[in-house]
Amino acid sequence: MKLTTIIISSLLHNASPSSRPFVRAPFSPFLVLPRGGGNGDTTITTTTDATNDDGAAATAVSQDGDDSLHEKVQNAMRKLGLSPSSPPSTEETPTPAVRSDDSVECEDGVCPLPTTTTTAANSTAAVDEESSPPLISPEEPTEISPEDAEAYAAKLSKEYSLPISICRASLHASQYSMEKAREMLTYEVTTLQSIAEDSEAVQTLVTEGFDSYMARRALALCEGSVDDARAVLLAEAEDEKEEAEEEAAAAAAATETPLPAKTIAVGANFDPTAGTLPPPSPSPPPTPSSPAEVIYSVTTSSIQSVVLESPVPVLLDVYAPWCGPCQQLTPALENLARKSNGMFRLAKLNSDEEKPIAGPNCLGVTGLPTLFGIKDGEIINVKVGAPRSDEEFKSFMMEFMTGTPDKSVTEEEKLKLKEKSQKLANVAAMATLSFSQRESLVETTKRHLTTLVASLDDDEETALSRVKVLQKCVDNVLRHPRDAKYRRLKATNPVVAAQLLPHPSLLAVLKLGGWRRRDADESWGYHNDDDGAPAKVVNTAPLKIVSKTLRDWIVVTARRVADAKRRRQEDEERSA
């Protein structure tokens, strides 16, 4: 029996029967119990607050005196080397306040961006992290037919405690090989074990409304980065929505009756060359662009293509439907964009719906409206609040169109704009790839690395040195995505010529990351234009997935190579 229980039992035994009306109630070590034969200063008061299931009254006990019995028990436990427990708090958790749009006050054309409290979403899937992956049954076939895939997906889902959609995808990706599918699912379980369900990152995403299992999966895929995981989850939701819309449109089109084809009668004596063409009419003056050409409503998944990869400068307007100054400024911006005849785009971002972009982990918007001037993927200038004068707005637009910030901008402010540009590029890039695309990149990269080892007669040590060279080239681009010298692998470079170019599997990995071969000089360029010049804006998301896969492979292979060396040395020592 634990020492704590002995102390409490002794106290109960010494108490007089008349002072123990609570003996029928469930025993709790946190009850303040009276000591029998006390000094006479102890007063016992019992109050019946409620009735339990057995009909017994729950009794509260209070004492007067210098030291309560509870305190004496705690002191005794401390002397015996035990850690005293604290009674559970009975205070009620305060209800979070909900923002009311009517309470937001705008001053000098700026509305402060309010903070909202969202409700945590219930998790619909979980992984038993302590259980070991099931072994392959001897009666289980190594290959199954597509017709049996659904039944085996349900079986794998039950064995691995994973969603059936994940098991179904693993069977399809493995071309219905049960052994390979189980390897994928084992890797899935092992990867999820690195992300605890009660971790702060998971709870942050769950509070934003994402499923707990999908949040853990995204965090594992993004190396624990909450921003990247959030972008992945949002992109996945966008993809699911688009797929549902496409399926609905296809179903509707299947039920439509095709229109009869029209026929045109042409006379036998028709001569298309007869007559003369009318003189060309003078060109009309340029007309304002249509809203569809210059005005866009952007989301997290579309900001990469619409804003960062835009061929013309983009004016990003971050607004909210409840913001009065935003409603006054938007018509003026739309009119200006139409009259510019395509010289710039106006992209409107709803801050209430696109918090990953507007929030502190990306653009860090603090007031509405906020205008960002963006050119070639870089933030040039920022304007918070509606312009107070025409001169102020003209100055902002001049900086935006020319791509040169005002001379009054400090180096510290320029550095902050550069950091925001990088955060925006990271979030936008990660949102362009769905889970299935990411998994395909990972599995394809692993397959090419396996081919590399086989082409070297299973010499993992040589393969490891080759992959490390490739990893260094990839990391250089990720650290300096706009530097042209890191985005080109020359065939005349002795390291590239000896370590990379002779291996088709490594060149295939380069293609997965975004490199392309130039026939003119046999060099490899990362996201180059048709003329060979590096593109100004690139999407590094595929390269990040390739980089992580290479790093994981290097860690596992290096450990295996080291173990093999150690075993050889031990064998040599024994033989000597």
Side-chain angles (χ1 to χ4, degrees):
M1 183 182 295
K2 293 183 179 179
L3 191 56
T4 306
T5 308
I6 297 174
I7 295 173
I8 300 299
S9 301
S10 175
L11 295 174
L12 279 172
H13 177 72
N14 293 332
S16 60
S18 60
S19 63
R20 289 183 287 154
F22 43 77
V23 292
R24 292 183 58 193
F27 173 72
S28 170
F30 301 117
L31 287 175
V32 182
L33 306 180
R35 182 187 297 273
N39 55 10
D41 296 334
T42 302
T43 304
I44 304 171
T45 305
T46 61
T47 305
T48 302
D49 294 331
T51 304
N52 57 21
D53 295 338
D54 298 329
T59 307
V61 183
S62 63
Q63 291 189 351
D64 296 330
D66 296 335
D67 292 326
S68 66
L69 179 60
H70 178 71
E71 294 172 347
K72 293 179 180 179
V73 171
Q74 300 293 313
N75 293 332
M77 293 173 66
R78 291 189 185 95
K79 291 180 180 180
L80 293 171
L82 300 176
S83 298
S85 307
S86 300
S89 175
T90 58
E91 296 181 359
E92 296 183 357
T93 303
T95 303
V98 180
R99 174 181 64 84
S100 173
D101 294 340
D102 297 337
S103 62
V104 178
E105 296 182 0
C106 303
E107 184 177 355
D108 293 333
V110 181
C111 293
L113 192 65
T115 58
T116 57
T117 304
T118 56
T119 305
N122 292 329
S123 172
T124 58
V127 178
D128 185 0
E129 298 183 358
E130 298 180 357
S131 60
S132 301
L135 300 175
I136 300 178
S137 172
E139 296 82 10
E140 185 176 80
T142 56
E143 303 286 340
I144 64 172
S145 63
E147 292 77 12
D148 299 332
E150 191 66 24
Y152 279 97
K155 175 185 176 183
L156 293 173
S157 174
K158 184 177 180 181
E159 291 180 3
Y160 286 86
S161 299
L162 292 174
I164 191 172
S165 59
I166 302 297
C167 301
R168 191 184 297 118
S170 67
L171 288 172
H172 178 73
S174 64
Q175 298 181 349
Y176 304 103
S177 167
M178 289 297 293
E179 182 178 1
K180 293 181 179 179
R182 286 186 178 276
E183 290 179 0
M184 294 181 186
L185 295 177
T186 302
Y187 176 78
E188 175 90 10
V189 174
T190 305
T191 303
L192 284 173
Q193 289 178 355
S194 63
I195 306 295
E197 189 171 2
D198 58 351
S199 64
E200 183 179 355
V202 174
Q203 295 305 315
T204 298
L205 294 174
V206 169
T207 304
E208 295 177 7
F210 297 111
D211 176 73
S212 175
Y213 171 78
M214 301 304 291
R216 293 175 63 200
R217 196 162 184 253
L219 286 166
L221 194 61
C222 300
E223 300 180 282
S225 172
V226 176
D227 295 337
D228 292 349
R230 184 186 294 110
V232 170
L233 293 169
L234 290 172
E236 188 70 12
E238 290 282 346
D239 291 343
E240 292 177 357
K241 182 180 178 181
E242 291 178 1
E243 290 176 2
E245 292 176 352
E246 291 175 358
E247 292 176 359
T255 58
E256 293 181 356
T257 304
L259 297 176
K262 295 183 179 180
T263 57
I264 301 176
V266 180
N269 299 325
F270 174 72
D271 184 4
T273 62
T276 58
L277 296 174
S281 58
S283 301
T287 57
S289 302
S290 64
E293 297 174 348
V294 294
I295 301 175
Y296 298 83
S297 293
V298 294
T299 61
T300 303
S301 60
S302 64
I303 200 168
Q304 173 74 29
S305 59
V306 175
V307 177
L308 299 184
E309 298 178 2
S310 172
V312 296
V314 179
L315 185 61
L316 180 62
D317 175 24
V318 183
Y319 73 99
W322 48 264
C323 171
C326 300
Q327 297 175 0
Q328 297 175 358
L329 181 62
T330 296
L333 295 177
E334 293 179 349
N335 186 43
L336 185 63
R338 284 193 293 267
K339 290 183 178 180
S340 71
N341 294 315
M343 292 182 63
F344 75 91
R345 288 178 178 178
L346 174 63
K348 300 187 295 183
L349 182 82
N350 189 333
S351 61
D352 287 349
E353 297 179 353
E354 304 299 332
K355 296 185 185 299
I357 296 293
N361 295 323
C362 190
L363 293 180
V365 175
T366 57
L368 298 175
T370 296
L371 302 178
F372 292 90
I374 301 176
K375 185 176 182 180
D376 295 333
E378 292 282 344
I379 299 176
I380 304 300
N381 54 356
V382 182
K383 175 71 179 72
V384 181
R388 301 178 183 179
S389 64
D390 291 342
E391 292 298 326
E392 182 182 1
F393 186 63
K394 288 179 181 178
S395 175
F396 173 82
M397 291 300 296
M398 184 64 67
E399 297 173 21
F400 160 57
M401 294 300 298
T402 59
T404 55
D406 189 80
K407 296 180 180 179
S408 61
V409 178
T410 64
E411 291 298 325
E412 183 180 358
E413 291 173 339
K414 290 180 181 179
L415 182 60
K416 289 182 178 179
L417 291 180
K418 188 174 182 179
E419 291 176 354
K420 287 186 177 181
S421 300
Q422 188 60 43
K423 289 181 179 179
L424 178 62
N426 290 339
V427 174
M430 297 305 291
T432 59
L433 292 181
S434 64
F435 267 128
S436 58
Q437 291 172 319
R438 289 166 177 270
E439 291 173 347
S440 177
L441 276 173
V442 171
E443 294 302 325
T444 306
T445 303
K446 289 180 179 179
R447 187 166 63 250
H448 289 315
L449 295 178
T450 302
T451 304
L452 171 67
V453 176
S455 68
L456 295 171
D457 297 329
D458 295 333
D459 185 354
E460 287 190 327
E461 187 172 358
T462 302
L464 183 62
S465 64
R466 303 292 191 268
V467 175
K468 285 183 177 180
V469 173
L470 177 61
Q471 175 70 35
K472 186 175 181 179
C473 296
V474 170
D475 286 346
N476 283 338
V477 174
L478 290 176
R479 283 194 294 265
H480 312 281
R482 293 178 177 271
D483 197 332
K485 70 178 181 180
Y486 294 110
R487 292 170 57 175
R488 186 177 179 186
L489 301 177
K490 298 181 180 179
T492 55
N493 186 308
V495 176
V496 174
Q499 304 281 345
L500 299 183
L501 297 185
H503 304 288
S505 54
L506 294 183
L507 299 181
V509 174
L510 284 176
K511 289 182 179 180
L512 288 176
W515 267 277
R516 294 295 179 267
R517 181 178 180 273
R518 292 188 62 194
D519 295 332
D521 54 4
E522 296 185 356
S523 64
W524 286 75
Y526 178 70
H527 277 280
N528 288 353
D529 294 333
D530 294 336
D531 58 356
K536 294 181 179 180
V537 180
V538 295
N539 183 349
T540 58
L543 194 60
K544 287 183 179 180
I545 302 299
V546 171
S547 175
K548 181 182 183 303
T549 307
L550 292 177
R551 284 200 304 272
D552 294 343
W553 186 89
I554 288 174
V555 171
V556 174
T557 306
R559 187 183 301 117
R560 194 159 51 238
V561 169
D563 292 342
K565 282 185 176 180
R566 187 178 65 255
R567 287 194 296 269
R568 286 198 300 268
Q569 291 176 356
E570 293 174 352
D571 293 341
E572 292 174 359
E573 292 174 357
R574 291 194 201 98
S575 60

